Amino acid sequence: MVRVAVAGDVAEAEEIQEILRAAGIDAELGDGEDDSVTVSVPESSVEQAQDAIEAMTEPDEIVGEP
């Protein structure tokens, strides 16, 4: 399993996990540093998972070129 995201809390991690599951990707939650929660997927699904996570990101959270 490869870590694809670190969430600030369990609720955020579960939201990411549900988005990945909706995209057909198996995701596991794990303990991160401090109170964070990691989201991991099989190595073969990393690129697809990153695309799904990026697609769920709010446009104002994406930092782009001016």
Side-chain angles (χ1 to χ4, degrees):
M1 299 295 277
V2 178
R3 182 176 66 195
V4 293
V6 178
D9 57 35
V10 173
E12 182 182 355
E14 288 176 343
E15 183 178 328
I16 294 169
Q17 184 180 38
E18 285 304 312
I19 289 167
L20 293 173
R21 284 186 179 160
I25 303 167
D26 183 38
E28 294 181 359
L29 304 183
D31 293 333
E33 293 183 21
D34 300 321
D35 291 331
S36 65
V37 181
T38 62
V39 181
S40 300
V41 300
E43 189 171 347
S44 61
S45 300
V46 170
E47 188 172 324
Q48 184 182 2
Q50 289 171 336
D51 290 345
I53 292 168
E54 185 176 308
M56 73 160 211
T57 304
E58 295 293 328
D60 60 351
E61 293 177 2
I62 298 174
V63 178
E65 304 254 343

